[in-house]
Amino acid sequence: MLSVPCPWCGPRDETEFRYGGQAHVAYPADPAACSDAEWAGYLFMRDNPKGWFAERWFHSAGCRRWFNAVRHTVTYEFAAVYAPFTQPPGVPS
Amino acid sequence: MTHPDFLWADPEPKRGYDVVVIGAGGHGLATAYYLARNHGITDVAVLERGWLAGGNMARNTTIIRSNYLWDESAAIYEHSLKLWEGLSDELDYDILFSQRGVLNLAHSLPDVRESVRRVNANRLNGVDAEWLTPAEVKKLVPIINTSQELRYPVLGATFQPRAGIAKHDHVAWAYARAAHDLGVHLIQNCEVTGFRRAGDRVTAVETSRGAIEAGRVALCAAGHTSVLAQELGFRLPLASHPLQALVSELLEQVLDTVVMSNAVHVYVSQAHKGELVMGAGIDAYNGYGQRGSFHVIESQLAAAVELFPIFARAHVLRTWAGIVDVSPDASPVLGLTPVENVFVNCGWGTGGFKATPGAGWVYADTIAHGRPHPLAAPFTLDRFTTGALVDEHGAAAVAH
């Protein structure tokens, strides 16, 4: 089981969390102006890297707050957690 | 008993091929075989970064069925099931295909309604399907607990008698030998690292064993497809997740059909040798690590023990994970890509094994003719732009 470092509560078991997928997928500023392809990009297309990944977590059985994390998708190691709507800290190389 | 002869050669890559298939799992091997057998395209290489059929083909739970809800899905999975029914003869190799039937249990009134609807939809599509009462389930599977006192009692099940299991390694070896016999090069330890481009076309595949020129490129890399697409400069609607499975020690035969439960979430069959083979859902997070979290194993075993109390004394021998590429509508992506001579077959998520012959068949046809095979046409990448999704989430007889 992963130990997820909630920025508000500290490290907790993965079973306390819900996963939210890729972070920083912004709602289109003017949805009505989107082409079908742009809308598909917003709704469906996702980064799916083998390596560091900025993603969202929700501490559903804890503080019930969302946060973002940078986690490695092969080692599953967390490099950083940070508040929603803020930019990710530097990603390890 | 002497060591058997090698079933296929281990050639050095040629300078180039008409078709380069990336990934020597079940789908890649089947695609190469049908390219040669159905379309006479034998100048084909299948590139594999590890060893042949060592990815998801070695990690699945071997369940084969075609009882999907939607017409488009039923058509392609039933095409695949029909190919399974003749595959041992076709490939002259016993793949231990056992049509022992698959039960999908219903545990709530919504489950029952969805299941009966799916039975009716299956029958309209020519897919064998029956609705069984709890007593009929008990008769078919004497070790199952049909007590109505359970937290999630068995309220009935759908049953597809023609569904079953096959021996995954034999399937891979049979396709590999048959493809090799038709002239296909199977090249292992050959990781694709990039692509050479000329305008909208790929001219060569760069690999750990040098550049290989390619007339057409067929992606068949399951959980790693997004990594290749990123190199090629287009996006896919995929998330790669660990999918775990496990086997018990060898036991006397106690289960001669396949039982799947969506609501308490476990699926189980008993292999020919005697292991109980179980699986459940994906781990929630994106992951390429071929391992998942233990609580996922714990919850599927809890479900299994509730349904089959005698399993409580069985020991887990081994757990593992594959990397499955899950699409937003739980249906595959099969067809053309924004790169002119590159084709894609991915997004099979948790259900790719059963599709092995069917996917290989329609993908080979798609590559040979440069347009989607009719059975693949509903599954093109375009559907995410047009909105014509084939939403099998919850409809496909299993949660994804």
Side-chain angles (χ1 to χ4, degrees):
Chain A
M1 186 182 308
L2 301 183
S3 177
V4 181
C6 174
W8 326 111
C9 308
R12 295 292 185 90
D13 283 352
E14 180 194 339
T15 45
E16 294 185 13
F17 296 84
R18 292 273 177 172
Y19 186 64
Q22 183 182 346
H24 309 295
V25 180
Y27 190 73
D30 184 1
C34 282
S35 67
D36 287 351
E38 286 165 345
W39 188 243
Y42 164 68
L43 272 187
F44 298 124
M45 300 301 162
R46 290 293 177 268
D47 295 341
N48 186 23
K50 186 177 185 178
W52 295 107
F53 185 45
E55 62 191 15
R56 305 193 310 152
W57 289 85
F58 175 49
H59 197 177
S60 54
C63 62
R64 298 196 59 76
R65 295 175 74 179
W66 284 92
F67 60 93
N68 292 342
V70 174
R71 187 182 58 93
H72 198 281
T73 59
V74 179
T75 65
Y76 303 165
E77 170 192 5
F78 284 88
V81 288
Y82 55 103
F85 309 112
T86 63
Q87 286 307 300
V91 170
S93 55
Chain B
M1 196 173 137
T2 57
H3 194 278
D5 290 339
F6 287 99
L7 298 180
W8 56 85
D10 201 15
E12 283 299 311
K14 289 198 302 181
R15 180 193 165 116
Y17 296 87
D18 186 358
V19 179
V20 169
V21 178
I22 301 174
H27 285 217
L29 294 167
T31 301
Y33 170 71
Y34 292 117
L35 276 169
R37 179 222 191 248
N38 291 355
H39 305 284
I41 300 171
T42 57
D43 187 25
V44 176
V46 187
L47 310 184
E48 171 54 52
R49 76 190 173 101
W51 62 94
L52 190 139
N56 291 352
M57 193 60 173
R59 296 161 195 273
N60 64 82
T61 48
T62 80
I63 298 170
I64 296 162
R65 60 187 177 86
S66 63
N67 56 347
Y68 283 67
L69 178 67
W70 300 113
D71 296 351
E72 299 87 346
S73 312
I76 196 166
Y77 288 107
E78 178 61 19
H79 176 62
S80 193
L81 179 51
K82 288 201 168 85
L83 290 171
W84 281 112
E85 288 176 323
L87 203 57
S88 285
D89 288 341
E90 163 80 22
L91 301 175
D92 190 24
Y93 198 114
D94 186 2
I95 58 163
L96 301 181
F97 181 49
S98 166
Q99 289 178 291
R100 57 183 60 192
V102 168
L103 285 158
N104 292 94
L105 304 180
H107 297 276
S108 64
L109 190 55
D111 265 5
V112 170
R113 288 174 174 153
E114 182 277 327
S115 300
V116 172
R117 179 191 179 198
R118 187 160 44 73
V119 165
N120 291 333
N122 288 165
R123 288 183 168 185
L124 287 169
N125 277 318
V127 174
D128 58 320
E130 297 168 30
W131 170 252
L132 303 186
T133 64
E136 290 168 325
V137 171
K138 182 74 178 173
K139 192 174 171 191
L140 202 62
V141 186
I143 62 169
I144 202 168
N145 184 359
T146 52
S147 162
Q148 297 303 297
E149 302 303 312
L150 289 182
R151 173 67 181 85
Y152 299 103
V154 175
L155 299 181
T158 69
F159 184 52
Q160 185 181 19
R162 288 166 57 244
I165 57 173
K167 182 76 184 159
H168 52 92
D169 285 336
H170 290 207
V171 176
W173 299 338
Y175 271 121
R177 182 180 69 170
H180 162 74
D181 287 347
L182 292 170
V184 171
H185 276 192
L186 308 175
I187 302 168
Q188 303 178 71
N189 299 308
C190 184
E191 181 170 9
V192 172
T193 54
F195 299 89
R196 290 188 189 163
R197 300 280 289 261
D200 284 342
R201 297 179 64 84
V202 164
T203 57
V205 177
E206 291 171 351
T207 79
S208 55
R209 295 175 67 171
I212 300 171
E213 292 173 6
R216 285 162 280 185
V217 175
L219 308 183
C220 236
H224 277 78
T225 310
S226 295
V227 178
L228 296 170
Q230 191 178 1
E231 288 288 330
L232 288 161
F234 62 88
R235 302 188 83 200
L236 291 171
L238 299 178
S240 294
H241 290 268
L243 175 64
Q244 300 190 73
L246 64 93
V247 289
S248 73
E249 63 206 317
L250 304 186
L251 300 168
E252 293 293 322
Q253 292 292 332
V254 291
L255 183 63
D256 64 357
T257 185
V258 182
V259 179
M260 308 179 66
S261 169
N262 198 349
V264 299
H265 218 177
V266 67
Y267 36 90
V268 57
S269 67
Q270 190 168 19
H272 296 82
K273 278 189 300 182
E275 309 103 311
L276 297 168
V277 183
M278 294 185 210
I282 57 174
D283 279 62
Y285 47 80
N286 284 33
Y288 285 84
Q290 287 187 327
R291 61 197 164 83
S293 296
F294 189 72
H295 67 88
V296 176
I297 295 289
E298 189 178 18
S299 65
Q300 68 177 270
L301 282 175
V305 169
E306 180 168 80
L307 287 172
F308 302 99
I310 66 166
F311 288 1
R313 287 191 239 171
H315 294 119
V316 171
L317 191 68
R318 187 167 76 248
T319 75
W320 66 87
I323 307 164
V324 298
D325 42 330
V326 177
S327 69
D329 57 358
S331 286
V333 178
L334 212 167
L336 314 185
T337 74
V339 184
E340 192 180 309
N341 58 337
V342 175
F343 299 83
V344 69
N345 170 46
C346 64
W348 292 92
T350 62
F353 176 75
K354 71 174 80 67
T356 300
W361 182 287
V362 302
Y363 194 32
D365 183 272
T366 300
I367 297 159
H369 297 291
R371 54 96 188 97
H373 182 282
L375 291 176
F379 299 107
T380 60
L381 194 48
D382 285 349
R383 76 176 184 273
F384 298 100
T385 303
T386 64
L389 304 187
V390 185
D391 190 4
E392 288 289 355
H393 267 298
V398 65
H400 296 270

